[in-house]
Amino acid sequence: MALRCWRWWHWSAWPRSRPPPSGSTPSRSRTPLGFCQQFSTQEQTPQICVVGSGPAGFYTAQHLLKHHPRACVDIFEKQLVPFGLVRFGVAPDHPEVKNVINTFTQTARSDRCAFHGNVVVGRDVTVPELREAYHAVVLSYGAEDNQALEIPGEELPGVFSARAFVGWYNGLPENRELAPDLSCDTAVILGQGNVALDVARILLTPPEHLEKTDITEAALGVLRQSQVKTVWIVGRRGPLQVAFTIKELREMIQLPGTRPILDPADFLGLQDRIKEVPRPRKRLTELLLRTATEKPGVEEAARQASASRAWGLRFFRSPKQVLPSADGRQVAGIRLAVTRLEQGVGEATRAVPTGDVEDLPCGLVLSSIGYKSRPIDPSVPFDPKLGIIPNVDGRVMNVPGLYCSGWVKRGPTGVITTTMTDSFLTSQILLQDLKAGQLPSGPRPGYAAIKALLSSRGVWPVSFSDWEKLDAEEVSRGQGTGKPREKLLDPQEMLRLLGR
């Protein structure tokens, strides 16, 4: 007899676009129970828990559901809403990147999948409690922290992490009170990756070009009043080591109302050196080289001449100190150590200080030198230096039945497709272990046990159908101004809208 597994919803809570499965009977509960009803004891139904609902979490769940016909997956998320960095990290003027949410939504609507938002693993429920309830647990909670600069003055008002700034304009609840002061003329971004270019682009994009995106209205209001005219994007190494991609660079070069500032001296001798580098790096460097050294055509020259804003790349500079204003209450500049490259190839090339310094006046400093993961639970091994959970192919070392995927597995590198591949690999390993009998045998209670724990602790999880109500509210609020949505920022307001 085949084993079937359903998530039970009260009829009134079932999304209208998705009717109840034929032949099923309604549950007495009005909320998603999220556990799998077994119709046969002849075959095991794997109960699997995924922690984190960003790309890593959803791709892990998607692969497990696709490749095991009976597996049931519960996704736990600390935010009230799903999708992680797709919602809170992708730039508002890159809506095409967010289309992956459609795929994730189909996964979440599977009868063998349930989303449980507003649950903080490590606080509301522990990892050992999850391991007791499920056959396997996959940690996919990403990199929620930012690398500190660890230099004097970084605590001054006017110094922010790029992560917090991105969270502010993308509606991350914890960053909604950030209130950056954009009344200065010059901003400095430390780091030369895609996030740095995203932040620079948002600072310099004419606000009317952002009005039809899902940027928050609060952020748009601040950007409309911005006095920032110049943005410097600073890196400790050279043009061959930048971490951004050609698509993002091309967007910056073509950004309306702006002109690029590149020093031709930074590119001396580069033409010969790029012959041997991989093609993506070669194309990127050639674009930098042309922008820095070639005279623009008549049309482009006219465009740049009329530009009221500018951005530039400063190479071979490392932050040494944030300089305070005369009254000590605000950032007034940044002291940069001049660096040179030691012998090495590509990413192995190190920058070392020459002993020289230079001061760069500015009123805003944004640090974009990388994300890092946090330890989630004392029972889970964690490497604080690498910022990852020690693992072999996604298996957490010395903890059978515990896995990891995404940035917490490999570090904060790559794009969404990289995370997809990585998550699929972890899922394959888990299913191999299941097939080999290396996971606990016998039935596990799954969410039934966790639901009881959360209820006893006063935690009210948010289901995916709850999210769909919030989603509809956001879309409705955006329609009045021609935006795809106006994001809800206050968790308490979200809970009120859900009748909690």
Side-chain angles (χ1 to χ4, degrees):
M1 180 178 177
L3 200 64
R4 297 295 298 276
C5 164
W6 298 114
R7 303 286 179 187
W8 297 108
W9 271 264
H10 188 271
W11 296 141
S12 62
W14 199 276
R16 293 178 182 175
S17 61
R18 187 161 92 359
S22 60
S24 60
T25 55
S27 162
R28 295 178 181 176
S29 172
R30 294 185 61 85
T31 56
L33 293 182
F35 65 88
C36 296
Q37 178 69 42
Q38 293 190 4
F39 297 99
S40 167
T41 57
Q42 293 177 354
E43 295 181 81
Q44 177 175 297
T45 297
Q47 302 277 358
I48 303 170
C49 160
V50 173
V51 178
S53 70
F58 265 108
Y59 279 128
T60 299
Q62 176 186 322
H63 197 267
L64 290 169
L65 294 168
K66 180 179 179 180
H67 293 278
H68 195 296
R70 296 179 304 280
C72 294
V73 180
D74 286 312
I75 302 174
F76 289 90
E77 168 59 53
K78 72 172 187 175
Q79 302 290 340
L80 274 76
V81 299
F83 310 132
L85 276 183
V86 180
R87 177 179 168 94
F88 297 122
V90 174
D93 57 348
H94 284 175
E96 71 285 352
V97 181
K98 302 183 186 188
N99 289 338
V100 71
I101 285 176
N102 298 327
T103 302
F104 296 164
T105 295
Q106 294 308 310
T107 297
R109 286 175 173 173
S110 165
D111 300 308
R112 294 184 288 124
C113 184
F115 169 81
H116 309 287
N118 199 33
V119 178
V120 181
V121 173
R123 185 192 72 187
D124 299 335
V125 61
T126 67
V127 172
E129 287 168 340
L130 293 175
R131 293 182 62 216
E132 189 69 25
Y134 293 90
H135 292 98
V137 174
V138 187
L139 301 174
S140 308
Y141 61 87
E144 302 173 296
D145 217 341
N146 55 279
Q147 298 281 4
L149 289 171
E150 298 181 347
I151 60 174
E154 69 174 307
E155 74 290 341
L156 283 168
V159 181
F160 302 96
S161 72
R163 180 191 182 279
F165 191 77
V166 169
W168 168 70
Y169 65 65
N170 269 336
L172 184 62
E174 67 192 63
N175 297 133
R176 68 186 188 276
E177 305 292 344
L178 195 70
D181 182 358
L182 304 185
S183 62
C184 58
D185 176 81
T186 303
V188 169
I189 302 172
L190 302 171
Q192 292 183 334
N194 278 344
V195 173
L197 291 198
D198 277 351
V199 169
R201 195 177 65 255
I202 294 299
L203 280 171
L204 295 174
T205 294
E208 59 270 21
H209 290 217
L210 296 172
E211 289 174 349
K212 303 304 180 185
T213 73
D214 67 358
I215 192 170
T216 68
E217 194 56 41
L220 193 55
V222 174
L223 289 167
R224 285 192 183 106
Q225 303 299 316
S226 173
Q227 300 299 308
V228 175
K229 294 292 186 288
T230 305
V231 176
W232 290 106
I233 306 163
V234 178
R236 70 187 188 280
R237 296 187 293 175
L240 276 175
Q241 287 80 38
V242 295
F244 49 74
T245 52
I246 193 167
K247 176 181 179 290
E248 279 66 27
L249 174 62
R250 193 176 288 116
E251 276 187 291
M252 284 301 299
I253 293 170
Q254 298 171 351
L255 191 63
T258 69
R259 60 185 178 87
I261 307 171
L262 298 176
D263 186 351
D266 290 333
F267 297 85
L268 292 175
L270 216 57
Q271 189 71 59
D272 293 331
R273 293 171 59 195
I274 62 176
K275 293 177 181 177
E276 305 301 323
V277 301
R279 187 170 182 271
R281 171 69 66 180
K282 182 180 179 182
R283 290 177 61 235
L284 172 64
T285 311
E286 285 173 343
L287 179 56
L288 280 169
L289 193 60
R290 287 197 302 272
T291 306
T293 61
E294 292 183 5
K295 186 177 179 179
V298 175
E299 188 176 328
E300 178 63 14
R303 189 189 73 83
Q304 292 186 16
S306 65
S308 60
R309 298 180 176 187
W311 62 274
L313 294 170
R314 295 290 278 266
F315 298 108
F316 310 112
R317 301 292 186 271
S318 180
K320 189 175 178 68
Q321 179 184 353
V322 179
L323 304 174
S325 57
D327 60 9
R329 296 182 180 178
Q330 179 71 23
V331 58
I334 187 160
R335 180 159 294 159
L336 302 170
V338 180
T339 63
R340 61 175 176 81
L341 297 183
E342 285 189 330
Q343 289 297 321
V345 179
E347 293 304 308
T349 307
R350 292 180 62 246
V352 295
T354 63
D356 294 332
V357 298
E358 70 175 27
D359 292 348
L360 185 58
C362 63
L364 178 68
V365 174
L366 295 164
S367 171
S368 184
I369 59 173
Y371 295 108
K372 65 178 181 180
S373 297
R374 301 170 180 166
I376 193 171
D377 190 287
S379 69
V380 179
F382 190 78
D383 185 330
K385 186 175 181 180
L386 296 177
I388 62 170
I389 295 172
N391 68 92
V392 178
D393 297 329
R395 296 184 184 95
V396 177
M397 294 175 65
N398 304 317
V399 191
L402 189 61
Y403 301 82
C404 57
S405 68
W407 282 4
V408 77
K409 169 187 173 183
R410 70 179 192 277
T413 59
V415 293
I416 290 177
T417 52
T418 320
T419 296
M420 177 184 70
T421 303
D422 170 89
S423 301
F424 287 177
L425 289 173
T426 290
S427 304
Q428 286 177 342
I429 292 294
L430 189 161
L431 293 175
Q432 287 173 16
D433 291 350
L434 179 67
K435 189 173 183 180
Q438 295 175 4
L439 296 182
S441 58
R444 288 285 170 115
Y447 186 63
I450 303 305
K451 181 177 186 291
L453 285 175
L454 295 176
S455 180
S456 70
R457 293 165 186 172
V459 179
W460 297 96
V462 170
S463 70
F464 198 77
S465 58
D466 287 334
W467 151 245
E468 290 181 319
K469 294 173 187 174
L470 298 176
D471 178 43
E473 176 67 20
E474 289 187 346
V475 171
S476 175
R477 292 187 182 190
Q479 284 175 342
T481 54
K483 300 175 68 175
R485 68 178 62 244
E486 185 59 50
K487 290 179 180 175
L488 296 163
L489 306 180
D490 184 356
Q492 294 306 314
E493 182 187 10
M494 296 184 207
L495 290 173
R496 284 196 302 271
L497 288 168
L498 295 174
R500 303 288 174 85

